[in-house]
Structures are given as structure tokens and as C-alpha cells.
Amino acid sequence: DAKTTQPNSMESNEEEPVHLPCNHSTISGTDYIHWYRQLPSQGPEYVIHGLTSNVNNRMASLAIAEDRKSSTLILHRATLRDAAVYYCIFNSGNTPLVFGKGTRLSVIA
Amino acid sequence: GAVVSQHPSWVICKSGTSVKIECRSLDFQATTMFWYRQFPKQSLMLMATSNEGSKATYEQGVEKDKFLINHASLTLSTLTVTSAHPEDSSFYICSARTSGSLRYNEQFFGPGTRLTVL
């Protein structure tokens, strides 16, 4: 299994930035880093992915360490709708996504 | 983005009956589909991988005779829980992936099916 390490839970105030860390020290050079999130009683939702360079999209930014052994998902302004479990996953292109325990993000109004 | 649907969204059945869950890719062809199971307060656990027209590959500890997977077309996969028992009550989530020239192939997830076995 591709193992990642994330904090069990984090808390943020609404409209403030949130930095969700992930360690993936066993990542190989061809593995992608993915972030998904899951709201209660829903399927996972794609957030962002990257390989080596930092990435930005409308939902978030992904900062990847130079050695690729860690990454940080950045939500620039947390809203109540961002409260979810965030999963950091790495895999090669053709293997299925294997989920760890993720980080439960709480957003306080 | 691509859409994956599941039907039904929830089902309640009696112990000993069989339940079929459908997973459809609505606007793309899914050469590979995955089935996950999620118990309360836990993460998703991969059950099996199926490629269209081939037998499914089950993860260790998942009974293939109990969880029958059929992936007969590029847009439909079904999971049948045979002789369901209360311990099979869970949230079942399917995921679909296309293959193509791009090296990165995103997995798209369905909304999940909640199964309750009485």
C-alpha cells in the first residue's frame, strides 16, 4: 500500500487560509500526488493533483516539496462548505487510489 | 468533469437476500471501475478492480463469491452482495477511470450507496 501520513484533524476559522500537510516519504519518481475530499455521506471529490511542480486550480493550491516527500494542500479562504475529510494519496498512473485515514477539517464560523 | 452515478442511493434489505448496486459512467467510457466500501468513521477500503470484459480482481480478504462484480460494458458495472448479512451494512462507492493517451488518468467517484441489512 502507498502510505501517507496526515494529521487526524485540523481546525480553521472561516475565511482564513488552511494548510493541510501530508508526508509521503516512500513516493517514487513517477508517482502522482492526489488530494480528494469527502463530505459526510458522499463519494470522494477530486481537489487537485500534481507531480513535481506546484499547482493551482479554482479549489485549492498544491505545494510540493522539492524532494517530493511531502506536500501541502492550501485552501486560500476556508468556508463552511470546505469542512470535510481530506485525503492525500500517491500512486502511479495505472494503480487504483488507496485511501488512508485523511484529515478531518473543521471550519468555525 | 466526468460524472459517475450509482443506483440505488440507499437500500434496506432483509438478511439472506441479495442486493445489486449499479454504477454508471454517464459521459465517458470507463475501461476500469473500482468498488470501495466504507464503514462508519473509517476510510474507504478498496474491494476490487474490474476491467471491461474481464473478471474482477479482488483485494485480499474480500470474498469474490459474496461480492459479485460484473463490468460487461464500458459504462456500467454492477456489484451484487449475495446473501447479505448485517455485517455487510456499509457505504459502497464505485469509481471509474478511462484510459487514454494521457499518463494521468483521473478516477471519478460515484455518490455512494448506503446498504442496511436488517
Side-chain angles (χ1 to χ4, degrees):
Chain A
D1 286 354
K3 297 291 187 186
T4 59
T5 303
Q6 299 178 251
N8 289 333
S9 62
M10 290 185 66
E11 206 172 76
S12 172
N13 293 318
E14 199 176 9
E15 299 196 2
E16 289 190 356
V18 182
H19 291 232
L20 298 166
C22 179
N23 288 322
H24 29 78
S25 58
T26 61
I27 195 170
S28 74
T30 56
D31 288 339
Y32 283 90
I33 300 160
H34 316 258
W35 283 82
Y36 282 76
R37 70 181 185 182
Q38 186 180 27
L39 278 65
S41 297
Q42 294 188 27
E45 175 189 24
Y46 168 83
V47 178
I48 202 166
H49 79 275
L51 186 60
T52 55
S53 303
N54 294 342
V55 184
N56 299 299
N57 68 19
R58 63 174 181 80
M59 288 182 71
S61 296
L62 176 60
I64 301 173
E66 197 169 330
D67 64 4
R68 301 206 331 122
K69 293 185 184 301
S70 66
S71 63
T72 301
L73 178 70
I74 303 164
L75 305 180
H76 296 286
R77 288 183 64 204
T79 70
L80 296 178
R81 289 184 294 180
D82 292 323
V85 178
Y86 286 79
Y87 296 99
C88 163
I89 305 166
F90 69 87
N91 75 337
S92 63
N94 290 323
T95 58
L97 296 176
V98 175
F99 288 75
K101 295 183 179 180
T103 297
R104 182 173 299 276
L105 174 67
S106 301
V107 180
I108 303 168
Chain B
V3 178
V4 175
S5 71
Q6 284 185 238
H7 178 80
S9 55
W10 60 269
V11 56
I12 301 172
C13 71
K14 292 182 179 180
S15 185
T17 60
S18 294
V19 175
K20 180 185 284 188
I21 302 170
E22 290 185 350
C23 175
R24 294 183 185 271
S25 56
L26 297 186
D27 49 4
F28 67 101
Q29 294 186 326
T31 52
T32 306
M33 285 186 168
F34 309 92
W35 286 94
Y36 294 80
R37 178 168 57 179
Q38 186 175 33
F39 293 109
K41 306 289 187 187
Q42 294 187 23
S43 185
L44 285 78
M45 185 192 80
L46 179 66
M47 298 175 68
T49 300
S50 73
N51 291 300
E52 184 262 339
S54 303
K55 286 186 178 179
T57 302
Y58 291 81
E59 296 298 304
Q60 192 173 6
V62 178
E63 300 174 58
K64 63 178 181 180
D65 294 330
K66 180 167 186 63
F67 298 100
L68 301 179
I69 292 172
N70 183 284
H71 188 175
S73 81
L74 287 172
T75 58
L76 173 64
S77 175
T78 59
L79 168 68
T80 301
V81 184
T82 62
S83 186
H85 291 285
E87 57 266 29
D88 299 321
S89 298
S90 189
F91 193 50
Y92 291 87
I93 303 167
C94 76
S95 178
R97 186 180 70 197
T98 187
S99 66
S101 58
L102 296 176
R103 187 180 171 280
Y104 177 80
N105 293 307
E106 185 177 340
Q107 264 186 242
F108 303 96
F109 287 84
T113 296
R114 182 153 316 275
L115 169 64
T116 302
V117 185
L118 302 177

